[in-house]
Amino acid sequence: MSTYSTPVLTTARLVLRPLTHQDAPALFAVFSDPAVVRYWSAEPWTDISFADTAIARAMEAYRDETDIRFAIELAETGEMIGTVNLHHFFNQNNRCELGYALASAHWGKGYASEAIGAALDHGFRAAKLNRIEADIDPRNAASGKVLEKLGFRKEGYMPQRWLVHGEYADTVFYGLLRSYWEERVANGGAA
């Protein structure tokens, strides 16, 4: 069975690092924002204990090396502004799923693409993945644009897959193969 450690990665403006217990207030701020979780299959967090539980799960994943979970931090200020993770690894097939969330105050600045790009590059290079998958609500156009910018391709559509905030929501599946990523990087796309 493969194992996955979570290193510290740096980009032009960001540091991706393992979550710590000190991140609880910032993590709570991200996931308690109704705008951030609008298309998630969970309600906004209502108490800091949700952040503590999420960090405890991340710590367990770090110990077991079962997921790669990053806090996204602004390099200039040290402010934690979101998360990106590679999870649900299917080792036999060298694939996993991608998850991410960014504080709404930081939307539209390219941070999501920058952070996700660094995590994807790590997944393909260091973790030797062949495929990374994402599923999003098709109404989340901004998330779709980020995935497509990074080379993901739409692969499928499932109506009413999730019950989100009391209404059924559809899913659009995206996939990114190592070969797509390597071709993108070779053609000058940022890693």
Side-chain angles (χ1 to χ4, degrees), residues 111-188:
Y111 293 135
S113 297
E114 192 172 327
I116 295 166
L120 294 172
D121 197 61
H122 175 75
F124 288 124
R125 292 178 196 262
K128 306 295 185 206
L129 294 168
N130 183 60
R131 177 180 173 80
I132 299 174
E133 301 171 345
D135 72 271
I136 66 165
D137 187 312
R139 297 171 296 177
N140 191 347
S143 191
K145 285 180 185 174
V146 167
L147 292 173
E148 290 172 20
K149 176 181 175 183
L150 291 167
F152 279 84
R153 298 180 186 180
K154 286 183 187 176
E155 297 180 336
Y157 186 90
M158 292 181 77
Q160 299 185 9
R161 183 165 186 246
W162 301 104
L163 185 60
V164 178
H165 310 296
E167 65 180 345
Y168 287 103
D170 302 342
T171 287
V172 174
F173 284 101
Y174 284 86
L176 180 63
L177 300 180
R178 175 199 301 266
S179 60
Y180 304 166
W181 184 255
E182 289 173 347
E183 179 182 329
R184 182 180 170 278
V185 171
N187 290 330

Side-chain angles (χ1 to χ4, degrees), residues 1-60:
M1 179 173 163
S2 297
T3 58
Y4 306 95
S5 62
T6 302
V8 174
L9 305 176
T10 58
T11 69
R13 303 177 296 163
L14 304 172
V15 175
L16 276 65
R17 58 164 177 78
L19 286 159
T20 70
H21 292 291
Q22 289 74 33
D23 292 322
L27 194 64
F28 176 70
V30 171
F31 287 97
S32 63
D33 181 347
V36 172
V37 298
R38 168 64 186 98
Y39 300 111
W40 285 58
S41 56
E43 296 294 321
W45 291 355
T46 55
D47 187 87
I48 192 97
S49 65
F50 286 87
D52 294 332
T53 299
I55 291 169
R57 272 194 239 114
M59 297 295 176
E60 185 177 320

